Amino acid sequence: MKEDFDGQFGLSFNFDNRFSLELPADPDTGKQRRQVRAACYSRVMPLTVSAPKLVAYSREMAEVLGLSTEACESQEFADVFAGNRLLDGMEPYAMCYGGHQFGHWAGQLGDGRAINLGEIVTAKSEHWALQLKGAGPTPYSRTADGLAVLRSSLREFLCSEAMFHLGVPTTRALSLVLTGESVVRDMFYDGNPQSEPGAVVCRVAPSFIRFGNFQIFTARGETELLKKLVDFTIRNEFPHLGEPSVAVYLKWFEEVCRLTADMIVHWMRVGFVHGVMNTDNMSILGLTIDYGPYGWLESYDPDWTPNTTDAAGRRYCFANQAQIGHWNLAQLGSALMPLFEGSEPLQQVLNSYPRYFEQGRQEMMGNKLGFDRYAADSDNVIVEELLEILALIETDMTIFYRRLALLDINVDIDTTTDKELIKPLVDAYYLPDEVSEVYRARLAKWLRAYIRRSRKEGKTNEVRRAKMNAANPKYVLRNYIAQLAIDKAEVGDFKFVSDLLELLRHPYDEQPEEEEFAAKRPDWARNRAGCSMLSCSS
Ligand code: AMP
Ligand code: MG
């Protein structure tokens, strides 16, 4: 048992721990791996590690939680968020959940390397759950060790905060701490295990409940518990829907469908590929959760997946994400069936998901192109042709949209040559030799149609540009940039992580001093491990 303490430097929180207080616990408090029945969670203590050392923290998240700079820079902070000390009110536990992995029911999964510290209420009455990832084994760790390495933790830390600043719904990250321990990992499961620095990220979210938390109870026939968790979730996370009832359950499912669609629309907007959209990695709040083998589109390739485990099937590639969201919601819907008389109402709500998604997608594409009113009939044609063109040759998606905003819609489209017209965009191409005569003619034809369409908006170039630049980030966490941060952090240089965090705070702004981070991926990173290829659960 760890000793509780009231932190110095204002390192203390007001815990209400509603999840663990209101829902049934596993009576067994041991760490041995097991099937946990009739419980929403198991109590478990984080491991004690040898030398907690802060790598970085998010000052925005710290502020929301009411922590001062002094508190965050104290050794106590590193100790607490490595799992070595508990603050007054912390009651650690791991959640029980199941899930479909790559389309197949996998049974109990659970927090195998995440330990919740508890839920706090801030001075502004906001609820936040704090969770350590990589703080040691739990009953749900199956054959694994419950630990995380610096490489994957840094990727999770940076991307959570980058996504937040991009306006994408996401779980957050408060801190990244080195544990002082070594962790052995076989990065590509190819028989080459290596010792790597161990690390812990403190994740923060209003709730970490996933689709899989509901699925596990239905799979086990634990309907009472299913109802308890649904009621708890509605009362605490969706109170605006009213007191739980069958009608409210349906409204809630509808809202989860909308939130999920909305999140994936954002992913498509910024070029994010989650990489492992298993149902245990789907937040009930529609937040991006579990940053593992995720990646950012560099060249626009709808079939691209960063996840080597998924390279053959490409189930979770960029273009499949909307459809996988639907599939995952269907699994959640099935899990909720015991709460309804028949499946018809759930099925109807589920059937409306493609419509929500399509509405969101149209609005999003309209914003990316600078259109205030998306006219589906004609604008869909423009968008489809653009997406085909983008995939024809290696084209950097992020750069392309920012460059498109620079196009002057007042040019004389009849006299301007194709070459002249596409000039603002040439920076987006990885292989200039691919820009053939045929390609150029097709793009120029599209640009003329786009200019004609944009003129109908009656906006100036400046107004159009501002609208587009608010939807099209200039700076994203390019895969190779995250890898550069890892390379430096692994040799003890943490400054780059902080600099990067600063850069990613303003992803839509021009930051003239930081142009190099808005540039195309350098050639060395094309096929380097960690830059374009990642594996699950490292
Ligand atoms: P993921 O697909 O990475 O979200 O992980 C799937 C499941 O494996 C979850 O239940 C995780 O908690 C568990 N898991 C992943 N990595 C580890 C690890 N190093 N130790 C224990 N459990 C893990
Ligand atoms: Mg997971």
Side-chain angles (χ1 to χ4, degrees):
M1 192 65 198
K2 285 175 210 280
E3 193 189 319
D4 280 18
F5 84 117
D6 214 357
Q8 297 175 43
F9 313 110
L11 185 57
S12 71
F13 301 105
N14 176 21
F15 283 93
D16 77 344
N17 295 333
R18 54 194 190 185
F19 186 90
S20 56
L21 278 177
E22 292 176 32
L23 294 166
D26 171 11
D28 187 344
T29 53
K31 285 194 179 183
Q32 75 284 3
R33 279 48 160 189
R34 59 185 180 270
Q35 291 294 307
V36 174
R37 296 187 193 274
C40 288
Y41 67 94
S42 306
R43 295 193 189 281
V44 60
M45 283 291 155
L47 279 184
T48 297
V49 295
S50 58
K53 186 177 165 139
L54 183 70
V55 175
Y57 72 94
S58 156
R59 67 166 188 257
E60 292 80 10
M61 200 63 245
E63 201 180 311
V64 168
L65 301 179
L67 297 175
S68 66
T69 308
E70 197 190 16
C72 294
E73 289 173 359
S74 66
Q75 184 57 40
E76 277 86 344
F77 181 89
D79 291 344
V80 168
F81 294 107
N84 272 12
R85 301 175 78 171
L86 294 184
L87 293 173
D88 271 346
M90 283 181 175
E91 300 210 1
Y93 64 90
M95 283 187 190
C96 180
Y97 55 78
H100 280 86
Q101 296 186 315
F102 297 93
H104 303 282
W105 176 245
Q108 177 183 295
L109 296 165
D111 285 332
R113 58 163 165 178
I115 297 181
N116 299 274
L117 296 173
E119 290 148 280
I120 65 165
V121 190
T122 66
K124 290 187 178 159
S125 302
E126 291 175 0
H127 270 86
W128 293 98
L130 305 180
Q131 182 181 84
L132 301 183
K133 183 163 173 182
T138 76
Y140 309 98
S141 300
R142 296 179 290 160
T143 55
D145 56 10
L147 303 175
V149 294
L150 178 60
R151 168 169 55 83
S152 59
S153 306
L154 186 50
R155 282 171 46 83
E156 171 136 25
F157 174 81
L158 279 176
C159 201
S160 310
E161 292 305 283
M163 293 282 265
F164 166 71
H165 292 294
L166 283 164
V168 182
T170 180
T171 60
R172 304 287 304 277
L174 171 65
S175 57
L176 169 62
V177 177
L178 277 169
T179 59
E181 310 287 338
S182 297
V183 175
V184 175
R185 282 289 179 269
D186 186 352
M187 189 170 166
F188 288 105
Y189 309 119
D190 62 357
N192 284 307
Q194 307 244 319
S195 200
E196 299 188 44
V200 173
V201 170
C202 178
R203 304 200 286 195
V204 185
S207 165
F208 287 100
I209 298 174
R210 303 142 188 269
F211 290 8
N213 289 71
F214 303 95
Q215 289 184 280
I216 190 75
F217 298 136
T218 305
R220 288 173 167 166
E222 295 177 338
T223 307
E224 268 308 295
L225 212 47
L226 170 71
K227 185 173 176 316
K228 256 197 182 127
L229 184 64
V230 169
D231 290 356
F232 172 88
T233 305
I234 293 173
R235 285 204 180 98
N236 292 298
E237 308 302 333
F238 299 82
H240 53 280
L241 296 178
E243 258 308 285
S245 66
V246 174
V248 168
Y249 294 157
L250 200 62
K251 278 205 274 180
W252 170 62
F253 182 54
E254 183 170 357
E255 190 152 321
V256 177
C257 290
R258 278 182 206 276
L259 292 169
T260 304
D262 206 44
M263 167 184 81
I264 299 172
V265 166
H266 277 288
W267 292 356
M268 305 313 280
R269 172 173 68 83
V270 298
F272 177 80
V273 188
H274 182 284
V276 215
M277 292 178 73
N278 293 333
T279 58
D280 54 307
N281 291 338
M282 298 295 290
S283 145
I284 202 68
L285 300 180
L287 304 174
T288 313
I289 191 171
D290 279 9
Y291 290 90
Y294 69 81
W296 293 82
L297 280 191
E298 285 154 348
S299 52
Y300 180 86
D301 174 0
D303 291 334
W304 186 69
T305 172
N307 185 354
T308 50
T309 320
D310 192 28
R314 298 189 181 266
R315 179 179 173 87
Y316 299 140
C317 71
F318 181 68
N320 275 5
Q321 298 188 113
Q323 191 195 323
I324 292 291
H326 196 194
W327 193 89
N328 288 345
L329 285 160
Q331 307 317 309
L332 176 64
S334 299
L336 300 178
M337 288 224 322
L339 304 180
F340 292 82
E341 291 282 319
S343 60
E344 190 51 31
L346 282 165
Q347 189 60 50
Q348 271 185 16
V349 169
L350 187 65
N351 291 348
S352 52
Y353 168 90
R355 204 176 58 239
Y356 304 144
F357 183 83
E358 183 52 22
Q359 279 167 359
R361 191 192 75 97
Q362 290 182 6
E363 192 183 332
M364 177 271 284
M365 285 309 301
N367 290 337
K368 283 182 85 67
L369 295 176
F371 305 159
D372 288 338
R373 285 166 307 278
Y374 193 91
D377 287 347
S378 46
D379 289 345
N380 277 346
V381 177
I382 292 182
V383 166
E384 272 159 35
E385 171 66 358
L386 170 64
L387 297 182
E388 271 184 39
I389 291 174
L390 282 178
L392 282 177
I393 62 174
E394 254 186 84
T395 311
D396 192 281
M397 171 177 155
T398 306
I399 298 176
F400 185 92
Y401 283 104
R402 290 293 285 209
R403 289 295 173 145
L404 187 62
L406 292 176
L407 196 74
D408 176 5
I409 59 169
N410 300 323
V411 293
D412 183 341
I413 49 176
D414 298 321
T415 57
T416 309
T417 62
D418 291 358
K419 209 168 183 173
E420 200 56 35
L421 205 55
I422 77 160
K423 221 174 187 173
L425 299 161
V426 295
D427 222 33
Y429 301 116
Y430 278 92
L431 304 165
D433 287 352
E434 286 185 334
V435 186
S436 65
E437 206 65 47
V438 176
Y439 174 88
R440 201 182 288 140
R442 188 165 169 188
L443 176 63
K445 185 168 176 223
W446 183 84
L447 288 171
R448 289 189 177 93
Y450 171 71
I451 288 173
R452 267 185 237 110
R453 167 64 181 88
S454 297
R455 285 177 183 164
K456 286 194 192 141
E457 291 277 318
K459 294 201 293 276
T460 61
N461 276 320
E462 285 65 35
V463 172
R464 186 184 109 262
R465 231 163 254 166
K467 183 180 174 91
M468 291 174 74
N469 286 353
N472 299 313
K474 169 132 183 176
Y475 297 97
V476 295
L477 184 60
R478 289 174 178 271
N479 310 313
Y480 86 92
I481 296 178
Q483 187 57 43
L484 285 179
I486 292 166
D487 291 345
K488 290 189 194 245
E490 283 183 342
V491 294
D493 173 2
F494 306 148
K495 186 172 176 300
F496 188 64
V497 177
S498 310
D499 292 348
L500 212 48
L501 210 51
E502 189 56 49
L503 170 80
L504 296 170
R505 280 191 170 103
H506 308 284
Y508 300 97
D509 293 357
E510 293 294 329
Q511 301 183 51
E513 320 251 287
E514 309 290 352
E515 275 302 314
E516 64 178 303
F517 299 111
K520 287 187 289 263
R521 168 204 64 216
D523 217 42
W524 61 260
R526 183 178 284 269
N527 292 314
R528 194 187 144 183
C531 297
S532 59
M533 299 176 290
L534 295 135
S535 63
C536 276
S537 298
S538 53

